[in-house]
């Protein structure tokens, strides 16, 4: 059996890590600023980190959110890795791009995700669409929690999420649904389109 502990990655610039040693047959399924993710079983993946401090921060975030339906299960923590639940399904960015529409039901799921992040005391109640996955059961799960509890002032609006929805041409629809479902959030978020247009 392959040993994922032999996989090595290094930080390459600001945006992504680079895999420098992988003697295993485990496929690379994603890489980002903190680490690279490999599928090691039908229901498990391993995230290999370039820096030990990032392992600590992200594992603490998973432990703090244990039991929540919006976060993958954490199975194991090592010196440079986390073994996590593998989420089967598309990320929300790809899903919405292929569908071309945003339904009210999906908006409700996004709002629930944000509310749950707030309940879990995330510092960043926001997420990139590519970090949100839609499971076969229709549940939204958010990954990549390196900065979820980072102590830093964040906007009160989900600006990463709304910026990407705007690029997909779906922000107006999203806000119309929010106006109907959650009028208070709508009042806090409604000016974001205008601000985007002014800055862009």
């Amino acid at each position: 059996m392959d040993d994922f502990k032999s996989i090595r990655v290094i930080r390459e610039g600001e945006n992504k890590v680079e895999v420098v040693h992988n003697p295993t047959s485990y496929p690379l399924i994603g890489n980002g600023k903190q680490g690279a993710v490999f599928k090691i079983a039908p229901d498990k993946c391993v995230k290999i980190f370039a820096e030990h401090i990032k392992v600590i921060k992200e594992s603490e975030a998973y432990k703090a959110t244990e039991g929540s339906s919006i976060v993958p299960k954490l199975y194991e923590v090592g010196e440079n890795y986390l073994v996590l639940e593998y989420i089967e399904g598309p990320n929300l960015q790809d899903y919405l791009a292929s569908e071309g529409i945003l339904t009210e039901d999906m908006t409700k799921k996004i709002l629930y995700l944000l509310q749950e992040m707030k309940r879990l005391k995330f510092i960043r109640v926001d997420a990139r669409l590519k970090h949100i996955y839609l499971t076969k059961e229709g549940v939204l799960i958010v990954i990549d929690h390196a900065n979820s509890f980072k102590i830093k002032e964040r906007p009160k609006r989900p600006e990463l999420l709304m910026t990407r929805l705007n690029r997909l041409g779906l922000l107006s629809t999203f806000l119309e649904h929010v106006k109907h479902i959650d009028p208070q959030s709508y009042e806090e978020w409604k000016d974001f389109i205008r601000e985007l247009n002014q800055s862009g």
Side-chain angles (χ1 to χ4, degrees), residues 108-169:
K108 286 178 182 176
K109 290 177 180 182
I110 292 170
L111 290 174
Y112 172 76
L113 181 84
L114 295 171
Q115 288 162 4
E116 182 68 355
M117 291 170 86
K118 201 171 190 176
R119 184 189 73 78
L120 293 167
K121 296 185 170 41
F122 279 40
I123 298 296
R124 183 177 69 180
V125 181
D126 195 0
R128 300 180 190 280
L129 293 183
K130 67 179 182 179
H131 290 164
I132 302 171
Y133 280 76
L134 180 64
T135 70
K136 292 180 289 186
E137 296 73 31
V139 176
L140 294 182
I141 291 184
V142 65
I143 64 163
D144 197 9
H145 295 286
N147 296 313
S148 298
F149 293 95
K150 192 173 181 181
I151 301 184
K152 184 178 177 182
E153 189 61 34
R154 290 283 179 175
K156 299 194 184 302
R157 304 173 298 192
E159 295 186 0
L160 294 172
L161 186 146
M162 290 199 293
T163 298
R164 182 52 66 177
L165 286 175
N166 189 56
R167 288 179 188 166
L168 292 172

Side-chain angles (χ1 to χ4, degrees), residues 36-193:
V37 182
F38 300 83
K39 188 175 181 181
I40 59 172
D43 60 345
K44 288 182 182 178
C45 61
V46 64
K47 186 170 183 177
I48 308 289
F49 292 79
E51 302 170 33
H52 177 63
I53 187 66
K54 302 299 184 184
V55 180
I56 295 170
K57 285 184 178 178
E58 195 154 336
S59 65
E60 285 174 351
Y62 279 109
K63 288 171 184 174
T65 57
E66 190 175 2
S68 173
S69 64
I70 70 160
V71 178
K73 294 183 183 75
L74 173 66
Y75 294 111
E76 185 181 337
V77 181
E79 182 69 20
N80 70 327
Y81 69 86
L82 299 178
V83 177
L84 300 160
E85 176 185 11
Y86 173 72
I87 306 302
E88 186 78 54
N91 68 54
L92 197 52
Q93 183 170 301
D94 291 345
Y95 175 81
L96 292 175
S98 67
E99 292 292 309
I101 59 167
L102 176 63
T103 64
E104 186 167 318
D105 181 60
M106 183 58 72
T107 301
K108 286 178 182 176
K109 290 177 180 182
I110 292 170
L111 290 174
Y112 172 76
L113 181 84
L114 295 171
Q115 288 162 4
E116 182 68 355
M117 291 170 86
K118 201 171 190 176
R119 184 189 73 78
L120 293 167
K121 296 185 170 41
F122 279 40
I123 298 296
R124 183 177 69 180
V125 181
D126 195 0
R128 300 180 190 280
L129 293 183
K130 67 179 182 179
H131 290 164
I132 302 171
Y133 280 76
L134 180 64
T135 70
K136 292 180 289 186
E137 296 73 31
V139 176
L140 294 182
I141 291 184
V142 65
I143 64 163
D144 197 9
H145 295 286
N147 296 313
S148 298
F149 293 95
K150 192 173 181 181
I151 301 184
K152 184 178 177 182
E153 189 61 34
R154 290 283 179 175
K156 299 194 184 302
R157 304 173 298 192
E159 295 186 0
L160 294 172
L161 186 146
M162 290 199 293
T163 298
R164 182 52 66 177
L165 286 175
N166 189 56
R167 288 179 188 166
L168 292 172
L170 298 172
L171 182 54
S172 296
T173 304
F174 174 71
L175 288 172
E176 280 302 310
H177 293 326
V178 173
K179 185 177 182 179
H180 177 247
I181 301 162
D182 184 355
Q184 183 177 337
S185 291
Y186 173 77
E187 288 301 315
E188 294 172 6
W189 302 347
K190 65 181 180 180
D191 293 331
F192 191 63
I193 292 180

